[in-house]
Amino acid sequence: MPELRRNPVPAANVQEAGASAAAPAAAPKVGFVSLGCPKALVDSEQILTQLRAEGYQTAKSYDGADLVIVNTCGFIDAAVQESLDAIGEALAENGKVIVTGCLGAKKDASGEDIITKVHPKVLAVTGPHAVAEVMNSVHTHLPKPHDPFLDLVPDHGIKLTPKHYAYLKISEGCNHRCSFCIIPSMRGDLVSRPIGDLMVEAENLFKAGVKELLVISQDTSAYGVDVKFRTGFWNGRPVKTHMTQLVECLGQLAKQYGAWVRLHYVYPYPHVDQVIPLMGDGHVLPYLDIPLQHAHPDVLKRMKRPASGEKNLDRIQAWRKMNPILTIRSTFIAGFPGETEAEFEYLLEFLKEAQIDRLGCFAYSPVEGATANELPDPVPQEVREERRARVMLLQEEISAKRLQAKVGKTLRVLVDEVGPREAIGRSAADAPEIDGVVHIKRALVPGKAKPAVGEFIDVVVTKADAHDLWATVA
Ligand code: SF4
């Protein structure tokens, strides 16, 4: 009975560490062949750790394994040949083979995948650093052992949101140092989650019935900066850890499941321009939540805001030209230390021009530990409140006008609640909890089927105020 090929010492160790007498006798067994450099070895360790965490056993021989994973190297010709031989051996001896590692990402001169060309019978191929993808393939071809504790937790984890929408947190921390904020000191610098993991999580959520996925972070535009936009893998194809590629992939997945993707905390960097065209088919919603906080360049400088040098008004107008139904949400701070009346009026002028659809405004409030507390010329509390009220008054007008323009139009809404007298839905322009809603009337006509929570329906807008719309089923 041939033994599994293995890297001299370390991989042998991880294989044996993975096998445990405590694992249930009927647990499925995975064989592991680890080739290549220390980085590949770390990938192998992570996959073996995950296998073990999920209750799989590891097998020392091909015929004792229910499936074999081969982690390959593609660095030099000799390594490529060794990897291809290892895959061939695993296929001949076992038959069920998943391939991962550097060779998985390599193409030949004609652009074809080297591995599937030589070994078309492999079950799945991923590139390096693709633990989530490999585990996904393992789950497909060798279902997870039942765990009475873990199995109480669904694949999509435990969610606190209603079943039909969910948040996808794409990174932790933040590389900026806005003077009013202490998040970086609490959560550290930006750490982007691997794109493959995000895609698996997104798919699990869609499979569980999520119809709207809300992408969140501290700075969505910066996704991938910390890992230098490293290439990850999704569905066997290389994908960059970059906002544009993430949005593109999420849009494709959402389309497959008939769902929406909504983007929050997007800073107006130039590359956001590439995201607007992805909003064309209605799955990536024409909606951007951009926390601008102010408009005057000097205030933005004192705030140390990211993208403060960008011409935000020009950018917003250019986006609206690209997609006239784009909804823009933003938040602002009134009465930041040193804000003069002229600077505040500059903000009001900006709001009149920018015609932000959804706006929140806060009177500046010092946070313990924030560097803004040391800035000179604090604005008196009553002036901060008064300026906030002026912003909100102006916004009422702008919002009412923009919502009024929707009367008579047909909108697609996602139903959030169904009551005895009306249903409540949200259109592409309404994020849950923070924006307005659509009150749907005729949903409740006796004899007419009521819409269900989590269902998309088309409605015709009949009335608007400064926050909400009223509509009937189309
Ligand atoms: S406010 Fe500034 S520092 Fe704080 S999380 Fe947002 S971008 Fe980062």
Side-chain angles (χ1 to χ4, degrees), residues 381-439:
Q381 179 67 33
E382 63 279 10
V383 179
R384 290 183 229 160
E385 293 294 349
E386 181 247 359
R387 288 181 182 170
R388 177 191 172 272
R390 282 161 72 193
V391 168
M392 292 318 290
L393 200 65
L394 170 63
Q395 183 58 26
E396 288 255 325
E397 247 178 68
I398 294 171
S399 180
K401 209 167 98 208
R402 293 186 74 76
L403 291 179
Q404 189 61 36
K406 297 188 182 193
V407 173
K409 297 214 163 114
T410 302
L411 300 178
R412 172 141 288 208
V413 299
L414 179 58
V415 177
D416 274 344
E417 284 169 44
V418 180
R421 300 176 63 83
E422 66 170 21
I424 302 286
R426 287 178 297 104
S427 71
D430 316 309
E433 310 290 336
I434 50 176
D435 293 333
V437 297
V438 183
H439 302 263

Side-chain angles (χ1 to χ4, degrees), residues 186-205:
M186 293 189 310
R187 302 210 182 143
D189 283 342
L190 177 81
V191 179
S192 300
R193 292 181 58 200
I195 193 158
D197 290 7
L198 289 178
M199 294 309 299
V200 168
E201 183 173 333
E203 183 149 30
N204 283 336
L205 288 166

